[in-house]
Amino acid sequence: MIRPAKKLVLETGQEFYGTGFGADCRKVCEIVFNTSVVGYQEIISDPSYAEQIVVMTYPLIGNYGITDEDFESHGTDIGGLVVRECCDTPSNFRYTKTLEEELEEHGIPCLSGVDTRMLTKIIRDTGRPMAAIVEADMPKEEALALIAATPRPTDLVRRVGCRKRWVTRTSNHLYHVVAVDCGIKQSILSRLKERGCNVTIVPFNTPAKDILAFNPDGVLLSNGPVSALEAPEILALVQELKGRVPVFGIGLGMEAIGLCYGAKLVPMGCGKHGDYPVRDLASGRINIAVLNQTYRFDTVEGTGLTPTHVLVPEGYVLGFENKEDRVYGVQFHLESAPGPQDYVYLFDNFIQMMEEQRHA
């Protein structure tokens, strides 16, 4: 197969030449890097990365192919993928197609043969710049004009979330959870089902009265792209639900809870995407968690929230709770997709909150 010559152009002017794979088209969007060693399929199908070019710092990507059962959503919403080396001869008895075939099918342009170490350093120092994947012979000035003419999207939660209510069930269920879909991952639903939950998934802008009409045992606010600052509907929802029903927030959902209680959300520049050490303040143990965040809470002091998890060594807040209102939130991915399973047990905290509410 003859692959086209492509290049990546950053809005700061740097160019990276390589070999194109996936879809043969142009793409302009925000660029971030991810430090995960495994889980590229979960990353490209995670709605939290919608309209972002993802640079994988691990040097070999695609070596175990794509497996139908491992998708985190029904589509692939990333803007593009940049890797050092793409493997098109995967070795995995479960794989059904190659990474390139999956990306080509969904119209996603990608680039290999890039010095991803140098690229990562530039992104780290400049934040989350806009970037373009274009033909190698396109003049830099033309590529920069293309970038300048492309605005950053502001409606990503609406774009990746469900449009209508749907339900996933398990046999002999014990609890009924309403999940507010800001870009929910399939693994979150799987972890709830494993714990005896029927789950009704609703659009992010569903009114609180409609959610409460389901008489749920608990409400889950899902992960999603951008930040809760760009989804005011979720903030209003938390304000009406807290204290009335157990609420569990993950990622964007956790940010919405913090904002609702008065905590300040601070932009992080390049953000953190990948595997990082997180301390559980109750046990003192440090486990590995998957982060995908561009905003953080430095503190929740004076908000009524109690910190439960912090990043090591920086110490900013990655988890909190309000026991009186039965509200809990974490800013990392705890469903073990991709990678670490260290914090899967936190779903049991949500189950316990629902059980306590039932017997209150």
Side-chain angles (χ1 to χ4, degrees), residues 53-177:
I53 297 173
V54 180
V55 179
M56 299 299 297
T57 61
Y58 191 75
L60 179 62
I61 301 297
N63 50 306
Y64 53 85
I66 295 291
T67 304
D68 290 342
E69 295 85 2
D70 292 346
F71 284 105
E72 289 300 323
S73 65
H74 297 299
T76 302
D77 296 301
I78 65 167
L81 188 68
V82 178
V83 302
R84 180 68 184 91
E85 180 181 353
C86 178
C87 175
D88 58 2
T89 56
S91 177
N92 177 5
F93 74 96
R94 295 176 65 234
Y95 97 93
T96 53
K97 65 179 75 170
T98 66
L99 174 63
E100 179 172 16
E101 289 170 338
E102 174 65 22
L103 295 167
E104 182 179 15
E105 180 179 328
H106 286 87
I108 299 170
C110 307
L111 194 63
S112 65
V114 172
D115 184 350
T116 51
R117 295 174 299 176
M118 176 62 71
L119 179 55
T120 296
K121 289 181 178 180
I122 293 172
I123 297 171
R124 183 189 62 191
D125 294 338
T126 58
R128 293 171 286 121
M130 293 289 283
I133 296 176
V134 296
E135 301 83 17
D137 59 357
M138 175 182 282
K140 181 197 290 188
E141 294 73 18
E142 184 178 342
L144 291 175
L146 183 64
I147 293 171
T150 305
R152 295 178 188 256
T154 57
D155 62 343
L156 291 178
V157 173
R158 184 181 303 276
R159 196 181 307 179
V160 302
C162 66
R163 306 296 194 276
K164 294 183 178 181
R165 178 197 63 173
W166 60 286
V167 178
T168 179
R169 302 182 186 279
T170 187
S171 59
N172 301 316
H173 78 278
L174 301 173
Y175 308 96
H176 177 210
V177 173

Side-chain angles (χ1 to χ4, degrees), residues 296-358:
R296 70 172 186 263
F297 292 109
D298 287 331
T299 179
V300 292
E301 185 176 353
T303 65
L305 296 168
T306 302
T308 58
H309 298 82
V310 296
L311 184 69
V312 177
E314 289 91 335
Y316 62 76
V317 179
L318 288 176
F320 49 55
E321 66 180 349
N322 183 302
K323 291 186 176 180
E324 183 179 353
D325 290 343
R326 293 195 172 92
V327 168
Y328 201 96
V330 293
Q331 204 165 6
F332 48 85
H333 294 261
L334 65 158
E335 71 286 340
S336 76
Q341 301 184 27
D342 299 17
Y343 280 111
V344 173
Y345 71 87
L346 291 180
F347 281 103
D348 298 326
N349 290 6
F350 185 38
I351 300 297
Q352 183 178 351
M353 284 197 302
M354 293 190 289
E355 188 67 25
E356 291 173 353
Q357 177 81 358
R358 181 176 290 181

